[in-house]
Amino acid sequence: MNTTDFTAWSADALGQVEQALSDWVPAAAPAGLGDAMRYAVLDGGKRVRPLLVLATAAAVQGHAEAALRAACAVELIHAYSLVHDDMPCMDNDVLRRGKPTVHVQFGEAQALLAGDALQALAFELLTPDPGQVPSAMQADLCRCLARAAGEAGMAGGQAIDLASVGKPLSEAQLRHMHMLKTGALLQGSVQMGAECAQSPLTPQARDGLARYGAAVGLAFQVVDDILDVTADSAVLGKTAGKDAAADKPTYVSVMGLDASRALAAQLGDEAHQALDATGLAHVELLRALAERVVNRSN
């Protein structure tokens, strides 16, 4: 797939996701809660996770309504996690997506509630009337997202991250932490796209997509660690250098900058090899997304 085709597909997909999020995140939630929810989600972010859902669903000829709902649900989980991570009890950050963080803008209590409400809304989106999405598919998508977001995924990784401040970690320990904290939701995005398939996938396709998701998920975090020390806050849209300032272990602090860049490239290669092994005919979008993750500048 050439760059122009991918750019056009990406713009169309992002437009659909943005419109759906605007439609589904309620402005009318009580006592200003809707304003905080919408502030946390709309008009910002790279939307890598929704794109992974939609690209995977395209590769497996997935159910379109289920895929769009899954794409929005995973972005709501991601947004809620950022709202909570930025709070003073965790990372205490003041800048996210180029604007003040939710707790700075709305206060800590409202930020906590906004995150809670976004998490609940994610699962509401995955469970519409069975006439819109088959019940079994709804259950599979909910299970997939819950596993990626919970103690065996994102939340567990964040717990390790908070417990590791100021402590030396080996590369293996760091990899484990990031595979949970960041990688699980990215890999889960690929798996959710696969769960939208309307015909059973071969074990080879499922395994290849899982390995692709794992490689892309870890690559995303490695590049994040690189950008934290090489880009400025205006480009990143969040506070640059905050991991080093907080004495958090990162790939750059553990391996060095050059080795981290080499690892990101290697993970990109692994993602392409995993797609080769799926046996699926149309994985061009997933290939282009892997390239975007590895070569991104923010």
Side-chain angles (χ1 to χ4, degrees), residues 217-234:
L218 187 57
F220 188 94
Q221 183 60 54
V222 174
V223 174
D224 229 34
D225 287 354
I226 293 168
L227 292 175
D228 191 61
V229 299
T230 61
D232 61 30
S233 298

Side-chain angles (χ1 to χ4, degrees), residues 148-162:
E151 51 81 25
M154 181 182 68
Q158 178 69 356
I160 297 171
D161 186 40
L162 292 171

Side-chain angles (χ1 to χ4, degrees), residues 132-172:
Q132 294 177 268
V133 177
S135 297
M137 189 176 289
Q138 292 184 29
D140 289 339
L141 289 168
C142 285
R143 181 178 64 250
C144 207
L145 185 57
R147 286 180 62 86
E151 51 81 25
M154 181 182 68
Q158 178 69 356
I160 297 171
D161 186 40
L162 292 171
S164 301
V165 173
K167 296 180 180 178
L169 294 184
S170 67
E171 193 277 330

Side-chain angles (χ1 to χ4, degrees), residues 92-96 228 231-233 236-243:
N92 194 23
D93 216 334
V94 298
L95 185 67
R96 174 70 66 180
D228 191 61
D232 61 30
S233 298
L236 290 178
K238 58 184 179 180
T239 308
K242 67 175 185 177
D243 290 336

Side-chain angles (χ1 to χ4, degrees), residues 162-255:
L162 292 171
S164 301
V165 173
K167 296 180 180 178
L169 294 184
S170 67
E171 193 277 330
Q173 290 172 317
L174 187 66
R175 178 178 291 241
H176 175 64
M177 177 180 79
H178 284 322
M179 285 300 295
L180 299 184
K181 180 185 174 185
T182 303
L185 199 57
L186 287 154
Q187 186 175 20
S189 300
V190 175
Q191 291 174 312
M192 290 175 76
E195 294 298 347
C196 295
Q198 299 184 84
S199 301
L201 297 180
T202 65
Q204 149 187 25
R206 285 193 173 277
D207 178 69
L209 289 171
R211 289 190 290 113
Y212 167 86
V216 167
L218 187 57
F220 188 94
Q221 183 60 54
V222 174
V223 174
D224 229 34
D225 287 354
I226 293 168
L227 292 175
D228 191 61
V229 299
T230 61
D232 61 30
S233 298
V235 173
L236 290 178
K238 58 184 179 180
T239 308
K242 67 175 185 177
D243 290 336
D247 199 19
K248 284 189 173 186
T250 68
Y251 269 95
V252 175
S253 68
V254 171
M255 299 178 64

